[in-house]
Coordinates of all heavy atoms in Angstrom, one line a residue:
M1 N 91.8 56.4 84.0 CA 92.2 55.5 83.0 C 93.8 55.6 82.8 O 94.4 54.6 82.4 CB 91.5 55.6 81.7 CG 90.0 55.2 81.9 SD 89.1 55.1 80.3 CE 89.2 56.7 79.5
E2 N 94.3 56.8 82.9 CA 95.7 57.0 82.8 C 96.5 56.2 83.8 O 97.5 55.6 83.4 CB 96.0 58.5 82.7 CG 95.6 59.2 81.6 CD 96.3 59.0 80.3 OE1 97.5 58.5 80.3 OE2 95.7 59.3 79.2
A3 N 96.0 56.1 84.9 CA 96.7 55.5 86.0 C 96.7 53.9 85.8 O 97.7 53.2 86.2 CB 96.1 55.7 87.4
L4 N 95.6 53.4 85.2 CA 95.5 52.0 85.0 C 96.3 51.6 83.8 O 96.9 50.5 83.8 CB 94.0 51.6 84.8 CG 93.1 51.8 86.0 CD1 91.7 51.4 85.6 CD2 93.6 50.8 87.1
G5 N 96.4 52.3 82.8 CA 97.1 52.0 81.5 C 96.2 51.4 80.5 O 95.2 50.7 80.9
P6 N 96.6 51.4 79.3 CA 95.7 50.8 78.2 C 95.5 49.3 78.4 O 94.3 48.9 78.0 CB 96.5 51.2 76.9 CG 97.4 52.2 77.3 CD 97.7 52.1 78.7
Q7 N 96.5 48.5 78.7 CA 96.2 47.1 78.8 C 95.2 46.7 79.9 O 94.4 45.9 79.6 CB 97.6 46.4 79.1 CG 98.6 46.5 77.9 CD 99.9 45.9 78.3 OE1 100.2 45.7 79.4 NE2 100.6 45.5 77.2
V8 N 95.3 47.4 81.0 CA 94.3 47.1 82.1 C 92.9 47.6 81.7 O 91.9 46.8 81.8 CB 94.8 47.7 83.4 CG1 93.7 47.5 84.5 CG2 96.0 47.1 83.8
V9 N 92.8 48.7 81.1 CA 91.5 49.3 80.7 C 90.9 48.4 79.5 O 89.7 48.1 79.6 CB 91.7 50.7 80.1 CG1 90.5 51.2 79.5 CG2 92.1 51.6 81.3
A10 N 91.8 47.9 78.6 CA 91.2 47.0 77.6 C 90.7 45.7 78.2 O 89.7 45.2 77.8 CB 92.3 46.6 76.5
A11 N 91.4 45.3 79.2 CA 90.9 44.0 79.8 C 89.7 44.2 80.6 O 88.7 43.3 80.6 CB 92.0 43.5 80.8
K12 N 89.5 45.4 81.3 CA 88.2 45.7 82.0 C 87.1 45.9 81.0 O 86.0 45.5 81.3 CB 88.4 46.8 82.8 CG 89.3 46.6 84.0 CD 89.3 47.7 85.0 CE 90.2 47.5 86.2 NZ 89.6 46.7 87.2
L13 N 87.4 46.4 79.8 CA 86.4 46.6 78.8 C 85.8 45.3 78.3 O 84.6 45.1 78.0 CB 87.0 47.3 77.6 CG 86.0 47.8 76.5 CD1 85.1 48.8 77.0 CD2 86.9 48.3 75.3
Q14 N 86.6 44.2 78.3 CA 86.2 42.9 77.9 C 85.8 42.0 79.0 O 85.2 41.0 78.8 CB 87.4 42.1 77.2 CG 88.0 42.8 76.0 CD 87.0 43.1 74.9 OE1 86.1 42.2 74.8 NE2 87.0 44.2 74.3
G15 N 85.9 42.5 80.2 CA 85.5 41.8 81.4 C 84.1 41.7 81.7 O 83.2 42.3 81.0
T16 N 83.7 41.0 82.8 CA 82.2 40.8 83.1 C 81.7 42.1 83.7 O 82.4 43.0 84.2 CB 82.1 39.7 84.1 OG1 82.9 40.1 85.4 CG2 82.6 38.4 83.6
G17 N 80.4 42.4 83.5 CA 79.8 43.5 84.0 C 79.8 44.7 83.0 O 79.2 45.7 83.3
T18 N 80.3 44.5 81.8 CA 80.3 45.5 80.8 C 79.3 45.1 79.7 O 79.5 44.0 79.1 CB 81.7 45.7 80.2 OG1 82.6 46.0 81.2 CG2 81.8 46.7 79.2
N19 N 78.3 46.0 79.5 CA 77.4 45.7 78.5 C 78.0 46.1 77.1 O 78.8 46.9 77.1 CB 76.1 46.4 78.7 CG 75.5 45.8 79.9 OD1 75.5 44.7 80.3 ND2 74.8 46.8 80.7
Y20 N 77.3 45.6 76.1 CA 77.7 45.9 74.7 C 76.9 47.1 74.2 O 75.8 47.3 74.7 CB 77.6 44.7 73.7 CG 78.6 43.6 74.1 CD1 78.2 42.5 74.9 CD2 80.0 43.7 73.7 CE1 79.1 41.6 75.1 CE2 80.8 42.8 74.1 CZ 80.4 41.7 74.8 OH 81.3 40.7 75.1
G21 N 77.4 47.8 73.3 CA 76.7 49.0 72.9 C 77.5 50.2 73.2 O 78.2 50.3 74.2
R22 N 77.5 51.2 72.2 CA 78.4 52.3 72.4 C 78.1 53.2 73.6 O 79.0 53.8 74.2 CB 78.3 53.3 71.1 CG 78.7 52.6 69.8 CD 80.1 52.4 69.6 NE 80.7 53.7 69.3 CZ 82.0 53.8 69.4 NH1 82.8 52.8 69.6 NH2 82.6 55.0 69.4
G23 N 76.9 53.2 74.2 CA 76.6 54.1 75.2 C 76.6 53.3 76.6 O 76.3 53.9 77.6
A24 N 77.0 52.0 76.5 CA 77.0 51.3 77.8 C 78.0 51.7 78.7 O 79.1 52.1 78.4 CB 77.1 49.7 77.4
D25 N 77.7 51.6 80.0 CA 78.6 52.1 81.0 C 79.7 51.0 81.2 O 79.4 49.8 81.1 CB 78.0 52.4 82.4 CG 77.2 53.6 82.4 OD1 77.5 54.5 81.5 OD2 76.4 53.8 83.3
V26 N 81.0 51.3 81.3 CA 82.0 50.4 81.7 C 82.3 50.5 83.1 O 82.9 51.5 83.6 CB 83.3 50.7 80.8 CG1 84.4 49.6 81.1 CG2 82.9 50.6 79.3
R27 N 82.0 49.4 83.9 CA 82.2 49.5 85.3 C 83.6 48.9 85.7 O 84.1 48.1 84.9 CB 81.2 48.7 86.0 CG 79.8 49.3 85.8 CD 78.7 48.9 86.7 NE 77.5 49.4 86.4 CZ 77.0 50.6 86.8 NH1 77.8 51.3 87.6 NH2 75.8 51.0 86.4
G28 N 84.2 49.3 86.8 CA 85.4 48.7 87.1 C 86.6 49.7 86.8 O 87.7 49.3 87.2
I29 N 86.4 50.7 86.0 CA 87.5 51.6 85.7 C 87.7 52.7 86.7 O 88.6 53.0 87.2 CB 87.4 52.1 84.2 CG1 87.5 50.9 83.2 CG2 88.3 53.2 83.9 CD1 87.4 51.3 81.8
V30 N 86.5 53.3 87.0 CA 86.4 54.2 88.1 C 85.5 53.7 89.2 O 84.6 52.9 88.9 CB 85.9 55.6 87.6 CG1 86.9 56.2 86.6 CG2 84.5 55.5 86.9
D31 N 85.7 54.1 90.4 CA 85.0 53.6 91.5 C 83.7 54.2 91.8 O 82.8 53.6 92.5 CB 85.8 53.7 92.8 CG 87.1 52.9 92.7 OD1 87.1 51.8 92.0 OD2 88.1 53.3 93.4
S32 N 83.4 55.4 91.2 CA 82.1 56.0 91.5 C 81.5 56.5 90.3 O 82.0 56.4 89.1 CB 82.2 57.1 92.5 OG 83.1 58.1 91.7
D33 N 80.1 56.8 90.4 CA 79.4 57.3 89.2 C 80.0 58.7 88.9 O 80.4 59.4 89.6 CB 78.0 57.4 89.4 CG 77.3 56.1 89.5 OD1 77.8 55.1 88.8 OD2 76.3 55.8 90.2
P34 N 79.9 59.1 87.6 CA 79.5 58.5 86.4 C 80.6 57.6 85.8 O 81.8 57.9 85.9 CB 79.2 59.6 85.4 CG 80.1 60.7 85.9 CD 80.3 60.6 87.4
H35 N 80.3 56.4 85.4 CA 81.2 55.5 84.8 C 81.3 55.9 83.3 O 80.4 56.4 82.7 CB 80.6 54.1 84.8 CG 80.6 53.6 86.3 ND1 81.6 53.2 87.0 CD2 79.5 53.4 87.1 CE1 81.3 52.8 88.2 NE2 80.0 52.9 88.3
P36 N 82.5 55.8 82.7 CA 82.7 56.1 81.3 C 82.0 55.2 80.4 O 81.7 54.0 80.7 CB 84.2 56.0 81.1 CG 84.7 55.0 82.1 CD 83.8 55.2 83.4
S37 N 81.5 55.7 79.3 CA 80.8 55.0 78.3 C 81.8 54.1 77.5 O 83.0 54.4 77.5 CB 80.0 55.9 77.4 OG 80.8 56.6 76.6
R38 N 81.2 53.0 76.9 CA 82.0 52.2 76.1 C 82.6 52.9 75.0 O 83.8 52.7 74.7 CB 81.2 51.0 75.6 CG 81.9 49.9 74.9 CD 81.0 48.8 74.6 NE 81.8 47.7 74.1 CZ 82.3 46.8 74.7 NH1 82.3 46.7 76.1 NH2 83.1 45.8 74.2
S39 N 82.0 53.7 74.4 CA 82.5 54.5 73.2 C 83.7 55.4 73.7 O 84.6 55.5 73.0 CB 81.4 55.3 72.5 OG 80.9 56.4 73.4
F40 N 83.5 56.0 74.8 CA 84.7 56.9 75.4 C 85.9 56.0 75.7 O 87.0 56.5 75.2 CB 84.2 57.6 76.7 CG 85.2 58.4 77.2 CD1 85.5 59.7 76.8 CD2 86.0 58.0 78.4 CE1 86.5 60.5 77.3 CE2 87.1 58.7 78.9 CZ 87.3 60.0 78.4
V41 N 85.7 54.8 76.2 CA 86.8 54.0 76.5 C 87.4 53.5 75.3 O 88.7 53.4 75.0 CB 86.4 52.8 77.4 CG1 87.5 51.8 77.6 CG2 86.0 53.3 78.8
E42 N 86.6 53.1 74.2 CA 87.2 52.6 73.0 C 87.9 53.7 72.2 O 89.0 53.4 71.7 CB 86.1 52.0 72.1 CG 85.5 50.7 72.6 CD 84.3 50.3 71.8 OE1 83.7 51.1 71.1 OE2 83.9 49.1 72.0
N43 N 87.4 54.9 72.3 CA 88.1 56.1 71.6 C 89.5 56.4 72.4 O 90.5 56.6 71.7 CB 87.3 57.3 71.6 CG 86.1 57.1 70.7 OD1 86.1 56.3 69.7 ND2 85.0 57.9 70.8
W44 N 89.4 56.3 73.7 CA 90.6 56.5 74.4 C 91.7 55.4 74.1 O 92.9 55.8 73.9 CB 90.3 56.5 75.9 CG 91.5 56.8 76.8 CD1 91.9 58.0 77.2 CD2 92.3 55.8 77.5 NE1 93.1 57.8 78.0 CE2 93.4 56.5 78.3 CE3 92.4 54.4 77.6 CZ2 94.2 55.9 79.0 CZ3 93.3 53.8 78.3 CH2 94.2 54.5 79.0
L45 N 91.3 54.2 74.0 CA 92.2 53.1 73.7 C 92.7 53.2 72.3 O 94.0 53.0 72.0 CB 91.5 51.7 73.8 CG 91.3 51.3 75.2 CD1 90.3 50.0 75.2 CD2 92.5 51.0 75.9
A46 N 91.9 53.6 71.3 CA 92.3 53.9 70.0 C 93.4 55.1 69.9 O 94.4 54.9 69.2 CB 91.2 54.2 69.1
E47 N 93.2 56.1 70.6 CA 94.1 57.2 70.7 C 95.5 56.7 71.3 O 96.5 57.0 70.8 CB 93.5 58.4 71.4 CG 94.4 59.6 71.5 CD 93.9 60.8 72.3 OE1 92.6 60.9 72.2 OE2 94.6 61.5 72.9
K48 N 95.4 56.0 72.3 CA 96.7 55.4 72.9 C 97.4 54.5 72.0 O 98.6 54.6 71.9 CB 96.3 54.8 74.3 CG 95.9 55.6 75.4 CD 96.9 56.6 75.7 CE 96.4 57.6 76.8 NZ 97.3 58.6 77.0
S49 N 96.6 53.8 71.2 CA 97.2 52.9 70.3 C 97.9 53.6 69.1 O 99.1 53.4 68.8 CB 96.1 51.9 69.6 OG 96.7 51.1 68.6
R50 N 97.3 54.8 68.7 CA 97.8 55.6 67.6 C 99.1 56.2 68.1 O 100.1 56.4 67.4 CB 96.9 56.6 67.2 CG 95.8 56.1 66.1 CD 95.0 57.2 65.6 NE 94.2 58.0 66.6 CZ 93.1 57.7 66.9 NH1 92.4 56.6 66.5 NH2 92.4 58.4 67.8
A51 N 99.1 56.7 69.4 CA 100.3 57.3 69.9 C 101.5 56.3 70.1 O 102.6 56.7 69.8 CB 99.9 58.0 71.3
A52 N 101.2 55.1 70.4 CA 102.2 54.1 70.6 C 102.8 53.7 69.2 O 104.0 53.6 69.1 CB 101.6 52.9 71.3
E53 N 101.9 53.7 68.2 CA 102.3 53.4 66.9 C 103.3 54.5 66.3 O 104.2 54.2 65.7 CB 101.2 53.1 65.9 CG 100.4 51.8 66.2 CD 99.2 51.6 65.4 OE1 98.9 52.5 64.6 OE2 98.5 50.6 65.7
A54 N 102.9 55.7 66.6 CA 103.7 56.9 66.1 C 105.0 56.9 66.8 O 106.0 57.2 66.2 CB 102.9 58.2 66.4
L55 N 105.1 56.6 68.0 CA 106.3 56.4 68.7 C 107.3 55.4 68.2 O 108.4 55.6 68.0 CB 106.1 56.2 70.3 CG 107.4 56.1 71.1 CD1 108.1 57.5 71.2 CD2 106.9 55.7 72.6
E56 N 106.6 54.2 67.9 CA 107.4 53.1 67.3 C 108.0 53.5 65.8 O 109.0 53.1 65.5 CB 106.5 51.8 67.3 CG 106.3 51.2 68.6 CD 107.7 50.8 69.2 OE1 108.6 50.3 68.6 OE2 107.8 51.2 70.4
R57 N 107.1 54.2 65.1 CA 107.6 54.6 63.8 C 108.8 55.5 63.9 O 109.7 55.5 63.2 CB 106.4 55.3 63.0 CG 105.5 54.3 62.3 CD 104.6 55.0 61.4 NE 103.8 56.1 61.8 CZ 102.6 55.9 62.5 NH1 102.1 54.7 62.6 NH2 102.0 57.0 63.0
A58 N 108.7 56.5 64.9 CA 109.7 57.4 65.1 C 111.0 56.8 65.5 O 112.1 57.0 65.1 CB 109.3 58.5 66.1
R59 N 110.9 55.8 66.4 CA 112.1 55.0 66.8 C 112.6 54.2 65.7 O 113.9 54.2 65.5 CB 111.6 54.0 68.0 CG 111.5 54.6 69.2 CD 111.1 53.5 70.2 NE 110.8 54.1 71.6 CZ 110.1 53.5 72.5 NH1 109.7 52.3 72.3 NH2 109.9 54.2 73.7
F60 N 111.7 53.7 64.9 CA 112.3 52.9 63.7 C 113.0 53.7 62.7 O 114.1 53.5 62.2 CB 111.1 52.2 63.0 CG 111.5 51.4 61.8 CD1 112.1 50.2 61.9 CD2 111.3 51.9 60.5 CE1 112.5 49.4 60.8 CE2 111.6 51.1 59.4 CZ 112.3 50.0 59.5
R61 N 112.5 55.0 62.5 CA 113.2 55.9 61.6 C 114.6 56.3 62.2 O 115.6 56.3 61.4 CB 112.4 57.2 61.4 CG 111.4 57.0 60.3 CD 110.7 58.3 60.0 NE 109.3 58.1 60.3 CZ 108.7 58.9 61.2 NH1 109.2 59.9 61.7 NH2 107.4 58.6 61.4
W62 N 114.7 56.5 63.4 CA 116.0 56.8 64.1 C 117.0 55.6 64.0 O 118.1 55.9 63.6 CB 115.8 57.2 65.6 CG 115.5 58.7 65.7 CD1 114.3 59.2 66.0 CD2 116.4 59.7 65.7 NE1 114.5 60.5 66.2 CE2 115.7 60.9 65.9 CE3 117.8 59.8 65.4 CZ2 116.3 62.1 65.9 CZ3 118.4 61.0 65.3 CH2 117.7 62.2 65.6
V63 N 116.5 54.5 64.1 CA 117.3 53.3 64.0 C 117.8 53.2 62.6 O 119.1 52.9 62.3 CB 116.6 52.0 64.5 CG1 117.3 50.7 64.2 CG2 116.3 52.0 66.0
V64 N 117.0 53.4 61.6 CA 117.4 53.2 60.2 C 118.4 54.2 60.0 O 119.5 53.9 59.3 CB 116.1 53.3 59.3 CG1 116.6 53.5 57.8 CG2 115.3 52.1 59.5
W65 N 118.2 55.5 60.3 CA 119.2 56.6 59.9 C 120.5 56.3 60.7 O 121.6 56.5 60.1 CB 118.5 57.9 60.4 CG 117.6 58.4 59.3 CD1 116.3 58.6 59.5 CD2 117.9 58.8 58.0 NE1 115.8 59.0 58.3 CE2 116.7 59.2 57.3 CE3 119.1 58.8 57.2 CZ2 116.7 59.6 56.1 CZ3 119.0 59.3 55.9 CH2 117.8 59.6 55.3
L66 N 120.5 55.8 61.8 CA 121.7 55.5 62.6 C 122.4 54.3 61.9 O 123.7 54.4 61.8 CB 121.5 55.2 64.0 CG 121.0 56.5 64.9 CD1 120.7 56.0 66.3 CD2 122.2 57.4 64.9
A67 N 121.7 53.4 61.4 CA 122.3 52.2 60.7 C 123.0 52.7 59.4 O 124.0 52.3 59.1 CB 121.3 51.2 60.5
V68 N 122.3 53.7 58.7 CA 122.8 54.2 57.4 C 124.0 54.9 57.8 O 125.1 54.8 57.0 CB 121.8 55.0 56.7 CG1 122.4 55.8 55.5 CG2 120.6 54.1 56.2
A69 N 124.0 55.8 58.7 CA 125.2 56.6 59.2 C 126.3 55.6 59.5 O 127.5 55.9 59.2 CB 124.9 57.5 60.3
A70 N 126.1 54.7 60.3 CA 127.1 53.7 60.8 C 127.7 52.9 59.5 O 128.9 52.8 59.4 CB 126.6 52.6 61.7
A71 N 126.9 52.6 58.5 CA 127.4 52.0 57.3 C 128.3 52.9 56.5 O 129.4 52.6 56.0 CB 126.3 51.5 56.4
I72 N 127.9 54.2 56.4 CA 128.7 55.2 55.7 C 130.0 55.3 56.4 O 131.1 55.3 55.7 CB 127.9 56.5 55.5 CG1 126.7 56.3 54.6 CG2 128.8 57.6 55.1 CD1 125.8 57.4 54.5
F73 N 130.0 55.5 57.8 CA 131.3 55.8 58.5 C 132.2 54.6 58.4 O 133.3 54.7 58.3 CB 131.0 56.2 59.9 CG 130.4 57.7 59.9 CD1 129.3 57.9 60.6 CD2 131.0 58.8 59.2 CE1 128.8 59.2 60.8 CE2 130.5 60.0 59.4 CZ 129.3 60.2 60.1
S74 N 131.5 53.3 58.4 CA 132.3 52.2 58.3 C 133.0 52.1 56.9 O 134.2 51.6 56.9 CB 131.5 51.0 58.5 OG 130.9 51.0 59.8
A75 N 132.3 52.5 55.9 CA 133.0 52.4 54.6 C 134.0 53.4 54.4 O 135.1 53.2 53.8 CB 131.8 52.7 53.5
I76 N 133.9 54.6 55.1 CA 134.9 55.6 55.0 C 136.1 55.1 55.8 O 137.3 55.3 55.4 CB 134.4 57.0 55.6 CG1 133.3 57.6 54.7 CG2 135.5 58.0 55.9 CD1 132.6 58.7 55.2
A77 N 135.9 54.5 57.0 CA 137.0 54.0 57.8 C 137.7 52.9 57.0 O 139.0 52.8 57.3 CB 136.5 53.6 59.2
A78 N 137.1 52.1 56.3 CA 137.6 50.9 55.7 C 138.2 51.2 54.4 O 138.9 50.4 53.7 CB 136.5 49.8 55.6
W79 N 138.0 52.4 53.8 CA 138.4 52.8 52.5 C 140.0 52.6 52.3 O 140.3 52.0 51.3 CB 138.0 54.1 52.1 CG 138.5 54.5 50.8 CD1 139.4 55.5 50.4 CD2 138.2 53.9 49.5 NE1 139.6 55.5 49.1 CE2 138.8 54.5 48.5 CE3 137.3 52.8 49.2 CZ2 138.8 54.2 47.1 CZ3 137.2 52.5 47.8 CH2 137.9 53.1 46.8
P80 N 140.9 53.1 53.2 CA 142.3 52.8 53.0 C 142.7 51.4 52.8 O 143.4 51.0 52.0 CB 142.9 53.5 54.2 CG 141.9 54.4 54.7 CD 140.6 53.8 54.4
I81 N 142.0 50.5 53.6 CA 142.3 49.0 53.6 C 141.8 48.5 52.2 O 142.5 47.7 51.6 CB 141.7 48.3 54.8 CG1 142.4 48.8 56.0 CG2 141.9 46.8 54.6 CD1 141.7 48.4 57.3
L82 N 140.6 48.9 51.9 CA 140.0 48.4 50.6 C 140.8 48.9 49.4 O 141.0 48.2 48.4 CB 138.6 48.8 50.5 CG 137.6 48.2 51.5 CD1 136.2 48.8 51.3 CD2 137.5 46.7 51.2
R83 N 141.3 50.1 49.4 CA 142.0 50.7 48.3 C 143.4 49.9 48.2 O 143.7 49.6 47.0 CB 142.2 52.2 48.6 CG 142.8 52.9 47.3 CD 142.9 54.3 47.5 NE 143.9 54.6 48.5 CZ 144.1 55.8 49.0 NH1 143.4 56.8 48.7 NH2 145.0 56.0 49.9
S84 N 144.0 49.6 49.2 CA 145.2 48.8 49.1 C 145.0 47.4 48.7 O 145.9 46.9 47.9 CB 145.9 48.7 50.5 OG 145.2 47.9 51.4
W85 N 143.9 46.8 48.9 CA 143.6 45.5 48.3 C 143.2 45.6 46.8 O 143.6 44.7 46.0 CB 142.3 44.9 49.0 CG 142.6 44.4 50.3 CD1 143.8 44.3 51.0 CD2 141.7 43.8 51.2 NE1 143.7 43.8 52.2 CE2 142.3 43.4 52.4 CE3 140.3 43.6 51.1 CZ2 141.6 42.8 53.4 CZ3 139.6 43.0 52.1 CH2 140.3 42.7 53.3
L86 N 142.7 46.7 46.4 CA 142.3 46.9 45.0 C 143.6 47.2 44.1 O 143.6 46.9 42.9 CB 141.3 48.0 44.8 CG 140.0 47.7 45.5 CD1 139.1 48.9 45.3 CD2 139.3 46.5 44.7
E87 N 144.6 47.7 44.7 CA 145.9 48.0 43.9 C 146.7 46.9 43.6 O 146.9 45.9 43.8 CB 146.6 49.1 44.6 CG 145.9 50.4 44.7 CD 146.6 51.5 45.5 OE1 147.6 51.1 46.2 OE2 146.2 52.7 45.4

């Protein structure tokens, strides 16, 4: 499943030949028996989704902190010009 990636695995989970029910085998992900169960595939997809969301949250935090730092440094750099305007 790692080699296929979450998007392909999710598509195969919704594809033909897959029965509904937590214990149903999902065919088309691996070529031989035993095929993973639907519950295993759904849990794997949920874990991948949580990991992707955590990565996006971490990236967002970094971007926000860098933007705050850039704003502070810009204000420091512009202070002499702003001070001369205020006088």
